[in-house]
Amino acid sequence: SEPVNCKAASGLQDIYNSLCIGLNDYDLEPELGLPDFRARNTLQPDRTRWLYVLDDVDVIQNQVQRMEAERWLDRQTDKIEIGIPIYNAEFGLHATCKINFYFSRAGRIWKKIIVQSEAASWHKRWYYAAYDSVWVGCLLYILVFEVIEIQKTVRSRGWLAIFTEYLSRWNVIDWLTVLGGSVIILIFLTSSGMRSETNTVLSQIGSMQLELQVRQTGSDVWAQYMSLTRRYWGILNDEISYLQRLRYSFSLYPLIIILRLFKSFTAQPRLA
């Protein structure tokens, strides 16, 4: 946080002899309510430092000691986040492990470990794709059926009949089903492109491992490794955050499907 002028009595400012920090997003325990969402993400990261697993222990220790000497952690610090990218080959998962420390103005330090993951491949078996194909086929069936119904309405009664006769609540629900499914497909295709890029970057890092065992600091290989590592971390964070939208879509879409069940009851009231 940026320091601000204190709101205390002016006569007491001399004894405090410092600027105030002001309120921040982590004044409450991060596990409580609204602050939890902000606790997951660092919106405006500052003073970012990188520690590489292939560096010598002495190099990492010296870097941490320099951070301490430079007062990397000071009174203006709201949060420290230690981010660790992980690939679990047992389950085929990319994951981020974020170890967070939240500094309240009263002096307490809250702690929260957040692990989020993303599958390296969503179709490990051929029949996974078959399930998705059946669902997409159902969406196409609804879309074609509704388009044909609109054509019949227009040919028999004109364009105004779309608003006076066709747009019943059940047809609106059908179009909501198609639109909701289209949004899910669009988000899925976008995330698939991001996941493919994540896999590509990680495979490039993996192909450099043997060469980096005998690397020298400042070499072209080491510079490429650092660049790819930072790129992998950025892409992985963006992908996992983007997948939250897909999960929200999955949580809302079943409600539309439930509404379509009531349409079946109107066709045969005894089913109710």
Side-chain angles (χ1 to χ4, degrees):
S1 298
E2 294 296 330
V4 296
N5 293 324
C6 299
K7 298 181 181 180
S10 58
L12 301 179
Q13 185 61 39
D14 293 338
I15 191 65
Y16 192 64
N17 194 27
S18 179
L19 292 175
C20 292
I21 305 303
L23 299 177
N24 55 50
D25 293 327
Y26 310 118
D27 288 328
L28 299 177
E29 181 179 359
E31 286 80 0
L32 295 179
L34 181 62
D36 180 69
F37 178 76
R38 291 184 178 272
R40 287 179 176 272
N41 302 297
T42 304
L43 302 180
Q44 295 179 342
D46 192 16
R47 305 181 188 178
T48 303
R49 299 293 185 272
W50 294 84
L51 305 176
Y52 299 97
V53 68
L54 293 182
D55 254 332
D56 295 333
V57 176
D58 294 338
V59 174
I60 297 176
Q61 290 179 343
N62 290 335
Q63 184 175 351
V64 173
Q65 290 174 357
R66 286 197 304 271
M67 292 166 59
E68 181 180 5
E70 296 169 357
R71 298 185 65 82
W72 181 76
L73 171 62
D74 56 22
R75 291 185 66 248
Q76 282 74 42
T77 302
D78 292 335
K79 171 185 176 182
I80 289 180
E81 178 182 279
I82 302 173
I84 306 171
I86 302 170
Y87 175 68
N88 188 329
E90 296 285 347
F91 299 98
L93 292 176
H94 298 280
T96 60
C97 178
K98 297 180 179 180
I99 306 171
N100 298 278
F101 300 92
Y102 307 91
F103 297 85
S104 70
R105 296 303 103 189
R108 178 161 184 177
I109 302 176
W110 303 101
K111 300 172 288 294
K112 188 177 183 69
I113 299 177
I114 303 172
V115 179
Q116 296 175 291
S117 62
E118 153 64 8
S121 174
W122 280 18
H123 298 93
K124 298 179 181 179
R125 303 287 188 273
W126 66 268
Y127 48 83
Y128 292 177
Y131 299 150
D132 292 341
S133 300
V134 170
W135 176 69
V136 173
C138 292
L139 284 180
L140 292 176
Y141 173 80
I142 298 173
L143 176 61
V144 172
F145 182 84
E146 294 301 323
V147 170
I148 293 175
E149 187 175 353
I150 291 176
Q151 288 179 342
K152 291 181 179 179
T153 303
V154 172
R155 289 176 181 176
S156 60
R157 298 178 179 83
W159 289 98
L160 292 178
I162 295 178
F163 304 99
T164 58
E165 298 183 16
Y166 173 76
L167 285 180
S168 64
R169 60 179 179 272
W170 304 119
N171 287 332
V172 170
I173 291 174
D174 287 339
W175 280 108
L176 287 177
T177 303
V178 174
L179 292 176
S182 300
V183 170
I184 291 177
I185 293 174
L186 179 61
I187 297 175
F188 172 77
L189 292 177
T190 303
S191 64
S192 296
M194 300 172 67
R195 182 170 58 254
S196 177
E197 186 178 3
T198 302
N199 293 337
T200 301
V201 173
L202 185 60
S203 64
Q204 292 175 352
I205 295 175
S207 64
M208 300 172 61
Q209 294 293 329
L210 293 178
E211 191 173 358
L212 285 168
Q213 297 298 328
V214 293
R215 61 90 182 162
Q216 293 181 352
T217 303
S219 65
D220 293 338
V221 177
W222 181 250
Q224 184 181 3
Y225 166 75
M226 292 191 296
S227 176
L228 287 174
T229 301
R230 298 186 183 193
R231 183 183 173 193
Y232 174 69
W233 174 254
I235 295 173
L236 183 58
N237 270 291
D238 293 341
E239 181 184 1
I240 290 178
S241 298
Y242 189 80
L243 277 179
Q244 292 293 329
R245 303 178 185 178
L246 185 61
R247 294 188 177 98
Y248 293 149
S249 302
F250 283 156
S251 64
L252 294 175
Y253 193 71
L255 300 179
I256 302 177
I257 300 300
I258 291 175
L259 292 177
R260 292 201 78 246
L261 293 177
F262 292 100
K263 182 179 181 179
S264 302
F265 296 153
T266 59
Q268 177 53 265
R270 292 185 179 181
L271 293 177

